[in-house]
Short mmCIF file of all heavy atoms in Angstrom, two decimals:
data_model
loop_
_atom_site.label_atom_id
_atom_site.label_comp_id
_atom_site.label_asym_id
_atom_site.label_seq_id
_atom_site.Cartn_x
_atom_site.Cartn_y
_atom_site.Cartn_z
N GLY A 373 35.61 -5.10 -1.48
CA GLY A 373 35.24 -5.86 -2.66
C GLY A 373 33.75 -6.06 -2.74
O GLY A 373 33.02 -5.85 -1.77
N VAL A 374 33.30 -6.43 -3.89
CA VAL A 374 31.89 -6.70 -4.14
C VAL A 374 31.78 -8.10 -4.70
O VAL A 374 32.47 -8.45 -5.65
CB VAL A 374 31.30 -5.69 -5.16
CG1 VAL A 374 29.86 -6.01 -5.45
CG2 VAL A 374 31.46 -4.27 -4.68
N ILE A 375 30.93 -8.92 -4.11
CA ILE A 375 30.69 -10.27 -4.63
C ILE A 375 29.21 -10.42 -4.88
O ILE A 375 28.40 -10.16 -4.01
CB ILE A 375 31.17 -11.36 -3.65
CG1 ILE A 375 32.69 -11.23 -3.42
CG2 ILE A 375 30.83 -12.75 -4.18
CD1 ILE A 375 33.22 -12.20 -2.40
N ILE A 376 28.85 -10.83 -6.09
CA ILE A 376 27.46 -11.04 -6.47
C ILE A 376 27.31 -12.52 -6.78
O ILE A 376 28.04 -13.06 -7.60
CB ILE A 376 27.10 -10.19 -7.70
CG1 ILE A 376 27.30 -8.72 -7.35
CG2 ILE A 376 25.67 -10.48 -8.16
CD1 ILE A 376 27.33 -7.81 -8.53
N VAL A 377 26.36 -13.18 -6.12
CA VAL A 377 26.20 -14.62 -6.31
C VAL A 377 24.74 -14.94 -6.63
O VAL A 377 23.94 -15.17 -5.75
CB VAL A 377 26.65 -15.41 -5.06
CG1 VAL A 377 26.57 -16.90 -5.33
CG2 VAL A 377 28.03 -15.01 -4.62
N PRO A 378 24.36 -14.91 -7.92
CA PRO A 378 23.04 -15.41 -8.28
C PRO A 378 23.07 -16.94 -8.22
O PRO A 378 24.10 -17.53 -7.91
CB PRO A 378 22.82 -14.90 -9.69
CG PRO A 378 24.19 -14.73 -10.24
CD PRO A 378 25.09 -14.42 -9.07
N ALA A 379 22.00 -17.57 -8.53
CA ALA A 379 21.89 -19.02 -8.40
C ALA A 379 23.00 -19.78 -9.12
O ALA A 379 23.40 -20.84 -8.68
CB ALA A 379 20.53 -19.48 -8.91
N SER A 380 23.53 -19.24 -10.23
CA SER A 380 24.44 -20.05 -11.02
C SER A 380 25.81 -19.41 -11.28
O SER A 380 26.62 -19.98 -11.99
CB SER A 380 23.80 -20.36 -12.37
OG SER A 380 23.57 -19.16 -13.08
N LYS A 381 26.11 -18.23 -10.74
CA LYS A 381 27.37 -17.57 -11.06
C LYS A 381 27.90 -16.78 -9.88
O LYS A 381 27.13 -16.17 -9.15
CB LYS A 381 27.16 -16.62 -12.23
CG LYS A 381 28.39 -16.45 -13.09
CD LYS A 381 28.06 -15.75 -14.37
CE LYS A 381 28.19 -16.74 -15.48
NZ LYS A 381 28.66 -16.18 -16.71
N LYS A 382 29.21 -16.80 -9.70
CA LYS A 382 29.86 -16.00 -8.67
C LYS A 382 30.66 -14.91 -9.37
O LYS A 382 31.55 -15.21 -10.17
CB LYS A 382 30.78 -16.86 -7.81
CG LYS A 382 31.51 -16.08 -6.74
CD LYS A 382 32.39 -16.99 -5.92
CE LYS A 382 33.14 -16.21 -4.86
NZ LYS A 382 34.03 -17.08 -4.09
N ILE A 383 30.34 -13.65 -9.08
CA ILE A 383 31.01 -12.52 -9.70
C ILE A 383 31.74 -11.74 -8.60
O ILE A 383 31.13 -11.37 -7.61
CB ILE A 383 30.00 -11.60 -10.42
CG1 ILE A 383 29.28 -12.39 -11.52
CG2 ILE A 383 30.70 -10.38 -11.00
CD1 ILE A 383 28.12 -11.65 -12.15
N GLU A 384 33.05 -11.52 -8.80
CA GLU A 384 33.86 -10.81 -7.81
C GLU A 384 34.44 -9.55 -8.43
O GLU A 384 35.02 -9.59 -9.51
CB GLU A 384 35.01 -11.69 -7.34
CG GLU A 384 34.56 -12.97 -6.66
CD GLU A 384 35.74 -13.85 -6.32
OE1 GLU A 384 36.50 -13.49 -5.40
OE2 GLU A 384 35.90 -14.88 -7.01
N MET A 385 34.27 -8.41 -7.71
CA MET A 385 34.82 -7.13 -8.13
C MET A 385 35.53 -6.50 -6.94
O MET A 385 35.18 -6.78 -5.80
CB MET A 385 33.70 -6.19 -8.57
CG MET A 385 32.89 -6.66 -9.72
SD MET A 385 31.57 -5.47 -10.04
CE MET A 385 30.80 -6.27 -11.43
N THR A 386 36.49 -5.63 -7.23
CA THR A 386 37.21 -4.90 -6.19
C THR A 386 37.06 -3.41 -6.45
O THR A 386 37.20 -2.97 -7.60
CB THR A 386 38.70 -5.29 -6.19
OG1 THR A 386 38.81 -6.70 -6.00
CG2 THR A 386 39.46 -4.57 -5.09
N LEU A 387 36.77 -2.66 -5.40
CA LEU A 387 36.64 -1.21 -5.55
C LEU A 387 37.88 -0.63 -6.21
O LEU A 387 39.01 -0.99 -5.85
CB LEU A 387 36.42 -0.55 -4.19
CG LEU A 387 35.09 -0.84 -3.52
CD1 LEU A 387 35.06 -0.24 -2.12
CD2 LEU A 387 33.93 -0.31 -4.34
N GLY A 388 37.69 0.23 -7.19
CA GLY A 388 38.80 0.89 -7.86
C GLY A 388 39.52 0.05 -8.90
O GLY A 388 40.51 0.50 -9.46
N SER A 389 39.03 -1.16 -9.17
CA SER A 389 39.69 -2.03 -10.15
C SER A 389 38.72 -2.41 -11.26
O SER A 389 37.55 -2.68 -11.00
CB SER A 389 40.17 -3.31 -9.46
OG SER A 389 40.66 -4.24 -10.42
N ARG A 390 39.21 -2.43 -12.49
CA ARG A 390 38.38 -2.84 -13.63
C ARG A 390 38.41 -4.34 -13.86
O ARG A 390 37.74 -4.85 -14.75
CB ARG A 390 38.84 -2.10 -14.90
CG ARG A 390 38.62 -0.61 -14.81
CD ARG A 390 38.93 0.14 -16.07
NE ARG A 390 40.02 -0.43 -16.85
CZ ARG A 390 40.11 -0.41 -18.16
NH1 ARG A 390 39.17 0.17 -18.87
NH2 ARG A 390 41.13 -0.94 -18.78
N VAL A 391 39.17 -5.07 -13.05
CA VAL A 391 39.24 -6.53 -13.17
C VAL A 391 38.02 -7.15 -12.50
O VAL A 391 37.63 -6.76 -11.41
CB VAL A 391 40.54 -7.07 -12.52
CG1 VAL A 391 40.56 -8.58 -12.53
CG2 VAL A 391 41.76 -6.51 -13.24
N VAL A 392 37.41 -8.11 -13.18
CA VAL A 392 36.26 -8.83 -12.63
C VAL A 392 36.49 -10.32 -12.83
O VAL A 392 37.08 -10.74 -13.82
CB VAL A 392 34.93 -8.38 -13.30
CG1 VAL A 392 34.92 -8.65 -14.78
CG2 VAL A 392 33.73 -9.02 -12.63
N LYS A 393 36.06 -11.11 -11.84
CA LYS A 393 36.13 -12.57 -11.95
C LYS A 393 34.70 -13.09 -11.96
O LYS A 393 33.91 -12.76 -11.09
CB LYS A 393 36.86 -13.19 -10.77
CG LYS A 393 38.33 -12.98 -10.75
CD LYS A 393 38.93 -13.71 -9.57
CE LYS A 393 40.38 -13.35 -9.37
NZ LYS A 393 40.93 -13.99 -8.17
N ALA A 394 34.37 -13.88 -12.96
CA ALA A 394 33.06 -14.53 -13.04
C ALA A 394 33.31 -16.02 -13.07
O ALA A 394 33.86 -16.54 -14.04
CB ALA A 394 32.30 -14.07 -14.27
N ASP A 395 32.93 -16.69 -11.98
CA ASP A 395 33.22 -18.13 -11.83
C ASP A 395 34.70 -18.42 -12.04
O ASP A 395 35.07 -19.40 -12.68
CB ASP A 395 32.36 -18.97 -12.77
CG ASP A 395 30.91 -19.04 -12.32
OD1 ASP A 395 30.64 -18.78 -11.13
OD2 ASP A 395 30.05 -19.36 -13.15
N GLY A 396 35.56 -17.53 -11.54
CA GLY A 396 37.00 -17.72 -11.64
C GLY A 396 37.63 -17.24 -12.93
O GLY A 396 38.84 -17.15 -13.04
N GLU A 397 36.82 -16.91 -13.93
CA GLU A 397 37.33 -16.42 -15.22
C GLU A 397 37.52 -14.90 -15.14
O GLU A 397 36.59 -14.17 -14.82
CB GLU A 397 36.34 -16.77 -16.32
CG GLU A 397 36.90 -16.64 -17.71
CD GLU A 397 35.96 -17.21 -18.75
OE1 GLU A 397 35.46 -18.34 -18.55
OE2 GLU A 397 35.74 -16.52 -19.76
N VAL A 398 38.72 -14.44 -15.43
CA VAL A 398 39.08 -13.03 -15.28
C VAL A 398 38.85 -12.27 -16.58
O VAL A 398 39.20 -12.74 -17.66
CB VAL A 398 40.56 -12.90 -14.85
CG1 VAL A 398 40.96 -11.44 -14.74
CG2 VAL A 398 40.79 -13.61 -13.53
N SER A 399 38.25 -11.07 -16.46
CA SER A 399 38.10 -10.17 -17.61
C SER A 399 38.22 -8.73 -17.12
O SER A 399 38.31 -8.48 -15.92
CB SER A 399 36.78 -10.42 -18.35
OG SER A 399 35.68 -10.16 -17.51
N THR A 400 38.22 -7.80 -18.06
CA THR A 400 38.36 -6.38 -17.74
C THR A 400 37.08 -5.64 -18.11
O THR A 400 36.56 -5.80 -19.21
CB THR A 400 39.55 -5.78 -18.51
OG1 THR A 400 40.73 -6.53 -18.19
CG2 THR A 400 39.76 -4.33 -18.14
N MET A 401 36.60 -4.82 -17.18
CA MET A 401 35.38 -4.02 -17.41
C MET A 401 35.77 -2.65 -17.96
O MET A 401 36.93 -2.25 -17.91
CB MET A 401 34.64 -3.83 -16.08
CG MET A 401 34.23 -5.12 -15.42
SD MET A 401 33.30 -4.85 -13.88
CE MET A 401 34.59 -4.18 -12.82
N ILE A 402 34.79 -1.93 -18.48
CA ILE A 402 35.05 -0.59 -19.01
C ILE A 402 35.17 0.46 -17.90
O ILE A 402 35.71 1.52 -18.10
CB ILE A 402 33.99 -0.16 -20.04
CG1 ILE A 402 32.60 -0.17 -19.42
CG2 ILE A 402 34.04 -1.03 -21.27
CD1 ILE A 402 31.51 0.40 -20.30
N THR A 403 34.66 0.14 -16.71
CA THR A 403 34.77 1.03 -15.56
C THR A 403 34.86 0.18 -14.30
O THR A 403 34.74 -1.04 -14.37
CB THR A 403 33.58 2.01 -15.49
OG1 THR A 403 33.81 2.98 -14.48
CG2 THR A 403 32.27 1.29 -15.23
N GLU A 404 35.09 0.81 -13.16
CA GLU A 404 35.26 0.05 -11.94
C GLU A 404 34.20 0.41 -10.89
O GLU A 404 33.61 1.47 -10.96
CB GLU A 404 36.65 0.28 -11.35
CG GLU A 404 36.88 1.68 -10.84
CD GLU A 404 37.39 2.65 -11.88
OE1 GLU A 404 37.79 2.22 -12.98
OE2 GLU A 404 37.38 3.85 -11.60
N PRO A 405 33.97 -0.50 -9.93
CA PRO A 405 33.07 -0.18 -8.83
C PRO A 405 33.69 0.93 -7.98
O PRO A 405 34.92 1.03 -7.86
CB PRO A 405 32.99 -1.47 -8.01
CG PRO A 405 33.70 -2.52 -8.77
CD PRO A 405 34.51 -1.85 -9.82
N ILE A 406 32.86 1.79 -7.40
CA ILE A 406 33.34 2.87 -6.54
C ILE A 406 32.51 2.93 -5.26
O ILE A 406 31.39 2.43 -5.22
CB ILE A 406 33.31 4.23 -7.26
CG1 ILE A 406 31.87 4.62 -7.62
CG2 ILE A 406 34.21 4.26 -8.47
CD1 ILE A 406 31.72 6.06 -8.06
N SER A 407 33.08 3.56 -4.25
CA SER A 407 32.37 3.84 -3.02
C SER A 407 32.23 5.35 -2.91
O SER A 407 33.21 6.08 -3.05
CB SER A 407 33.15 3.29 -1.82
OG SER A 407 32.46 3.57 -0.62
N LEU A 408 31.00 5.82 -2.67
CA LEU A 408 30.73 7.25 -2.62
C LEU A 408 29.67 7.50 -1.55
O LEU A 408 28.58 6.91 -1.60
CB LEU A 408 30.24 7.74 -3.99
CG LEU A 408 29.97 9.21 -4.16
CD1 LEU A 408 31.26 10.02 -4.00
CD2 LEU A 408 29.36 9.47 -5.53
N ASN A 409 29.99 8.32 -0.59
CA ASN A 409 29.06 8.68 0.48
C ASN A 409 28.48 7.45 1.19
O ASN A 409 27.28 7.37 1.46
CB ASN A 409 27.93 9.56 -0.05
CG ASN A 409 28.43 10.87 -0.61
OD1 ASN A 409 29.38 11.45 -0.08
ND2 ASN A 409 27.82 11.34 -1.68
N GLY A 410 29.34 6.47 1.46
CA GLY A 410 28.91 5.29 2.19
C GLY A 410 28.14 4.27 1.37
O GLY A 410 27.60 3.31 1.92
N ARG A 411 28.07 4.45 0.06
CA ARG A 411 27.38 3.50 -0.81
C ARG A 411 28.37 2.94 -1.83
O ARG A 411 29.30 3.61 -2.23
CB ARG A 411 26.23 4.17 -1.56
CG ARG A 411 25.12 4.60 -0.65
CD ARG A 411 24.02 5.28 -1.46
NE ARG A 411 23.00 5.76 -0.57
CZ ARG A 411 21.79 5.25 -0.49
NH1 ARG A 411 21.44 4.26 -1.27
NH2 ARG A 411 20.91 5.74 0.34
N THR A 412 28.11 1.70 -2.26
CA THR A 412 28.93 1.08 -3.28
C THR A 412 28.16 1.06 -4.59
O THR A 412 27.01 0.62 -4.62
CB THR A 412 29.31 -0.36 -2.88
OG1 THR A 412 30.05 -0.31 -1.65
CG2 THR A 412 30.17 -1.02 -3.94
N TYR A 413 28.79 1.55 -5.64
CA TYR A 413 28.19 1.58 -6.97
C TYR A 413 28.97 0.64 -7.88
O TYR A 413 30.20 0.70 -7.93
CB TYR A 413 28.22 3.00 -7.55
CG TYR A 413 27.39 3.98 -6.75
CD1 TYR A 413 27.94 4.68 -5.68
CD2 TYR A 413 26.06 4.19 -7.06
CE1 TYR A 413 27.18 5.57 -4.94
CE2 TYR A 413 25.29 5.07 -6.33
CZ TYR A 413 25.85 5.76 -5.27
OH TYR A 413 25.08 6.63 -4.53
N VAL A 414 28.25 -0.24 -8.57
CA VAL A 414 28.88 -1.20 -9.47
C VAL A 414 28.37 -0.95 -10.89
O VAL A 414 27.26 -0.46 -11.09
CB VAL A 414 28.60 -2.66 -9.05
CG1 VAL A 414 29.21 -2.95 -7.70
CG2 VAL A 414 27.12 -2.96 -9.05
N PRO A 415 29.19 -1.28 -11.90
CA PRO A 415 28.77 -1.09 -13.30
C PRO A 415 27.74 -2.16 -13.69
O PRO A 415 28.09 -3.28 -14.07
CB PRO A 415 30.07 -1.22 -14.09
CG PRO A 415 30.98 -2.01 -13.20
CD PRO A 415 30.57 -1.73 -11.80
N ILE A 416 26.48 -1.82 -13.56
CA ILE A 416 25.40 -2.79 -13.77
C ILE A 416 25.38 -3.35 -15.18
O ILE A 416 25.03 -4.51 -15.39
CB ILE A 416 24.03 -2.19 -13.37
CG1 ILE A 416 22.96 -3.27 -13.26
CG2 ILE A 416 23.61 -1.10 -14.34
CD1 ILE A 416 23.15 -4.21 -12.14
N SER A 417 25.80 -2.57 -16.17
CA SER A 417 25.82 -3.11 -17.54
C SER A 417 26.83 -4.25 -17.66
O SER A 417 26.61 -5.22 -18.37
CB SER A 417 26.14 -2.01 -18.55
OG SER A 417 27.43 -1.46 -18.31
N GLU A 418 27.95 -4.14 -16.93
CA GLU A 418 28.96 -5.20 -16.93
C GLU A 418 28.41 -6.45 -16.24
O GLU A 418 28.62 -7.57 -16.70
CB GLU A 418 30.23 -4.74 -16.23
CG GLU A 418 30.91 -3.57 -16.89
CD GLU A 418 31.69 -3.96 -18.13
OE1 GLU A 418 31.86 -5.16 -18.41
OE2 GLU A 418 32.15 -3.04 -18.81
N ILE A 419 27.71 -6.27 -15.14
CA ILE A 419 27.12 -7.40 -14.42
C ILE A 419 26.06 -8.07 -15.29
O ILE A 419 26.01 -9.30 -15.39
CB ILE A 419 26.52 -6.94 -13.08
CG1 ILE A 419 27.65 -6.47 -12.15
CG2 ILE A 419 25.72 -8.07 -12.43
CD1 ILE A 419 27.16 -5.78 -10.91
N ALA A 420 25.23 -7.27 -15.94
CA ALA A 420 24.19 -7.82 -16.81
C ALA A 420 24.81 -8.68 -17.91
O ALA A 420 24.32 -9.77 -18.21
CB ALA A 420 23.36 -6.69 -17.42
N LYS A 421 25.90 -8.20 -18.50
CA LYS A 421 26.57 -8.95 -19.56
C LYS A 421 27.08 -10.29 -19.04
O LYS A 421 26.91 -11.33 -19.68
CB LYS A 421 27.72 -8.10 -20.12
CG LYS A 421 28.47 -8.76 -21.26
CD LYS A 421 29.46 -7.82 -21.93
CE LYS A 421 30.45 -7.23 -20.96
NZ LYS A 421 31.50 -6.43 -21.60
N LEU A 422 27.67 -10.28 -17.85
CA LEU A 422 28.19 -11.52 -17.26
C LEU A 422 27.08 -12.51 -16.91
O LEU A 422 27.31 -13.71 -16.88
CB LEU A 422 29.01 -11.19 -16.01
CG LEU A 422 30.31 -10.45 -16.26
CD1 LEU A 422 30.89 -9.93 -14.96
CD2 LEU A 422 31.31 -11.33 -16.98
N LEU A 423 25.89 -12.00 -16.65
CA LEU A 423 24.75 -12.85 -16.31
C LEU A 423 23.87 -13.18 -17.52
O LEU A 423 22.78 -13.70 -17.37
CB LEU A 423 23.90 -12.19 -15.22
CG LEU A 423 24.59 -11.99 -13.88
CD1 LEU A 423 23.69 -11.21 -12.93
CD2 LEU A 423 25.00 -13.32 -13.28
N ASN A 424 24.36 -12.85 -18.73
CA ASN A 424 23.60 -13.07 -19.97
C ASN A 424 22.24 -12.38 -19.95
O ASN A 424 21.23 -12.95 -20.33
CB ASN A 424 23.43 -14.56 -20.26
CG ASN A 424 24.72 -15.22 -20.66
OD1 ASN A 424 25.55 -14.59 -21.31
ND2 ASN A 424 24.89 -16.46 -20.30
N LEU A 425 22.25 -11.13 -19.51
CA LEU A 425 21.03 -10.33 -19.52
C LEU A 425 21.14 -9.26 -20.59
O LEU A 425 22.20 -8.65 -20.77
CB LEU A 425 20.82 -9.65 -18.16
CG LEU A 425 20.64 -10.56 -16.97
CD1 LEU A 425 20.59 -9.74 -15.69
CD2 LEU A 425 19.38 -11.39 -17.11
N GLN A 426 20.05 -9.02 -21.28
CA GLN A 426 19.97 -7.93 -22.24
C GLN A 426 19.43 -6.72 -21.49
O GLN A 426 18.52 -6.84 -20.68
CB GLN A 426 19.04 -8.31 -23.39
CG GLN A 426 18.88 -7.22 -24.43
CD GLN A 426 17.88 -7.63 -25.50
OE1 GLN A 426 17.06 -8.50 -25.30
NE2 GLN A 426 17.97 -6.99 -26.64
N VAL A 427 20.00 -5.55 -21.76
CA VAL A 427 19.56 -4.33 -21.08
C VAL A 427 18.84 -3.43 -22.07
O VAL A 427 19.34 -3.16 -23.16
CB VAL A 427 20.75 -3.56 -20.48
CG1 VAL A 427 20.29 -2.32 -19.75
CG2 VAL A 427 21.56 -4.46 -19.57
N GLN A 428 17.64 -3.00 -21.69
CA GLN A 428 16.90 -2.03 -22.50
C GLN A 428 16.75 -0.76 -21.67
O GLN A 428 16.25 -0.80 -20.55
CB GLN A 428 15.52 -2.57 -22.88
CG GLN A 428 15.59 -3.75 -23.82
CD GLN A 428 14.21 -4.27 -24.19
OE1 GLN A 428 13.22 -4.00 -23.54
NE2 GLN A 428 14.17 -5.07 -25.24
N TRP A 429 17.20 0.36 -22.22
CA TRP A 429 17.16 1.64 -21.51
C TRP A 429 16.00 2.47 -22.03
O TRP A 429 15.84 2.65 -23.23
CB TRP A 429 18.47 2.39 -21.71
CG TRP A 429 18.47 3.75 -21.09
CD1 TRP A 429 18.43 4.95 -21.74
CD2 TRP A 429 18.49 4.05 -19.69
NE1 TRP A 429 18.43 5.97 -20.84
CE2 TRP A 429 18.47 5.45 -19.57
CE3 TRP A 429 18.52 3.27 -18.54
CZ2 TRP A 429 18.48 6.09 -18.33
CZ3 TRP A 429 18.54 3.92 -17.31
CH2 TRP A 429 18.53 5.30 -17.22
N ASN A 430 15.18 3.00 -21.12
CA ASN A 430 14.07 3.89 -21.45
C ASN A 430 14.50 5.29 -21.05
O ASN A 430 14.47 5.64 -19.86
CB ASN A 430 12.79 3.47 -20.72
CG ASN A 430 11.61 4.33 -21.08
OD1 ASN A 430 11.72 5.55 -21.21
ND2 ASN A 430 10.46 3.70 -21.24
N GLN A 431 14.92 6.09 -22.02
CA GLN A 431 15.44 7.43 -21.76
C GLN A 431 14.38 8.31 -21.12
O GLN A 431 14.66 9.07 -20.19
CB GLN A 431 15.95 8.06 -23.06
CG GLN A 431 16.52 9.44 -22.88
CD GLN A 431 17.77 9.47 -22.02
OE1 GLN A 431 18.55 8.54 -22.00
NE2 GLN A 431 17.95 10.55 -21.28
N GLU A 432 13.15 8.23 -21.60
CA GLU A 432 12.07 9.09 -21.09
C GLU A 432 11.81 8.86 -19.61
O GLU A 432 11.66 9.80 -18.84
CB GLU A 432 10.79 8.84 -21.89
CG GLU A 432 9.64 9.76 -21.52
CD GLU A 432 8.43 9.52 -22.40
OE1 GLU A 432 8.60 9.52 -23.63
OE2 GLU A 432 7.33 9.34 -21.83
N GLU A 433 11.79 7.59 -19.20
CA GLU A 433 11.51 7.26 -17.81
C GLU A 433 12.77 7.08 -16.96
O GLU A 433 12.69 6.90 -15.75
CB GLU A 433 10.67 5.98 -17.73
CG GLU A 433 9.29 6.15 -18.34
CD GLU A 433 8.47 4.87 -18.26
OE1 GLU A 433 8.88 3.93 -17.55
OE2 GLU A 433 7.42 4.82 -18.91
N GLN A 434 13.94 7.11 -17.64
CA GLN A 434 15.23 6.92 -16.98
C GLN A 434 15.25 5.59 -16.21
O GLN A 434 15.66 5.51 -15.04
CB GLN A 434 15.52 8.08 -16.03
CG GLN A 434 15.65 9.42 -16.72
CD GLN A 434 16.98 9.54 -17.44
OE1 GLN A 434 18.02 9.54 -16.81
NE2 GLN A 434 16.96 9.67 -18.76
N THR A 435 14.80 4.52 -16.87
CA THR A 435 14.76 3.19 -16.25
C THR A 435 15.43 2.16 -17.15
O THR A 435 15.46 2.31 -18.38
CB THR A 435 13.31 2.72 -15.99
OG1 THR A 435 12.61 2.70 -17.22
CG2 THR A 435 12.60 3.64 -15.02
N ALA A 436 15.96 1.12 -16.53
CA ALA A 436 16.56 0.02 -17.27
C ALA A 436 15.73 -1.24 -17.01
O ALA A 436 15.29 -1.47 -15.90
CB ALA A 436 18.00 -0.21 -16.83
N THR A 437 15.56 -2.03 -18.07
CA THR A 437 14.88 -3.31 -17.97
C THR A 437 15.88 -4.38 -18.34
O THR A 437 16.58 -4.26 -19.35
CB THR A 437 13.66 -3.37 -18.92
OG1 THR A 437 12.77 -2.30 -18.59
CG2 THR A 437 12.93 -4.70 -18.80
N PHE A 438 15.97 -5.43 -17.53
CA PHE A 438 16.90 -6.52 -17.76
C PHE A 438 16.14 -7.75 -18.19
O PHE A 438 15.20 -8.16 -17.51
CB PHE A 438 17.71 -6.80 -16.49
CG PHE A 438 18.51 -5.61 -16.05
CD1 PHE A 438 17.99 -4.68 -15.19
CD2 PHE A 438 19.78 -5.41 -16.56
CE1 PHE A 438 18.72 -3.58 -14.80
CE2 PHE A 438 20.52 -4.31 -16.18
CZ PHE A 438 19.99 -3.39 -15.30
N ILE A 439 16.55 -8.35 -19.31
CA ILE A 439 15.85 -9.51 -19.90
C ILE A 439 16.84 -10.66 -20.01
O ILE A 439 17.93 -10.50 -20.57
CB ILE A 439 15.28 -9.14 -21.27
CG1 ILE A 439 14.32 -7.95 -21.14
CG2 ILE A 439 14.59 -10.34 -21.91
CD1 ILE A 439 13.98 -7.29 -22.45
N LEU A 440 16.46 -11.81 -19.51
CA LEU A 440 17.31 -13.00 -19.59
C LEU A 440 17.39 -13.48 -21.03
O LEU A 440 16.38 -13.66 -21.70
CB LEU A 440 16.74 -14.11 -18.71
CG LEU A 440 17.52 -15.42 -18.67
CD1 LEU A 440 18.93 -15.19 -18.16
CD2 LEU A 440 16.79 -16.44 -17.81
N ILE A 441 18.62 -13.69 -21.52
CA ILE A 441 18.86 -14.22 -22.86
C ILE A 441 19.06 -15.72 -22.72
O ILE A 441 19.89 -16.16 -21.93
CB ILE A 441 20.12 -13.58 -23.49
CG1 ILE A 441 19.97 -12.08 -23.56
CG2 ILE A 441 20.37 -14.18 -24.87
CD1 ILE A 441 21.25 -11.36 -23.94
N ASN A 442 18.32 -16.51 -23.46
CA ASN A 442 18.46 -17.97 -23.35
C ASN A 442 19.61 -18.49 -24.14
O ASN A 442 20.13 -18.18 -25.02
CB ASN A 442 17.19 -18.67 -23.81
CG ASN A 442 16.07 -18.41 -22.81
OD1 ASN A 442 16.34 -18.22 -21.63
ND2 ASN A 442 14.86 -18.39 -23.27
#
């Protein structure tokens, strides 16, 4: 499983499952966390949404910028 705990939210995910718990509230993601070659990959866009972050993608630089939404 994957647990992300920023200052104000607890997010729980399980490898191979699209179910996510954010502060105990259950929802379904569009994809699931996976383990590949000894690394765990999580759907960062789903995490950003749960943390009220706006994501801006720069195609040219292949980078994402996360902005806190008030």
Side-chain angles (χ1 to χ4, degrees):
V374 178
I375 299 176
I376 300 165
V377 185
S380 62
K381 210 168 250 214
K382 179 179 179 182
I383 300 171
E384 299 175 71
M385 300 177 179
T386 302
L387 292 174
S389 173
R390 295 186 327 147
V391 175
V392 61
K393 288 183 189 176
D395 287 340
E397 195 170 313
V398 178
S399 62
T400 304
M401 301 182 291
I402 58 173
T403 189
E404 67 272 348
I406 63 168
S407 180
L408 183 65
N409 298 324
R411 293 179 184 250
T412 300
Y413 296 89
V414 296
I416 194 68
S417 62
E418 298 283 351
I419 294 170
K421 182 172 55 174
L422 292 168
L423 296 175
N424 289 327
L425 298 174
Q426 179 183 21
V427 181
Q428 293 180 343
W429 176 252
N430 182 319
Q431 181 64 32
E432 185 177 309
E433 295 180 12
Q434 297 285 296
T435 58
T437 302
F438 300 90
I439 302 165
L440 181 60
I441 302 169
N442 290 331

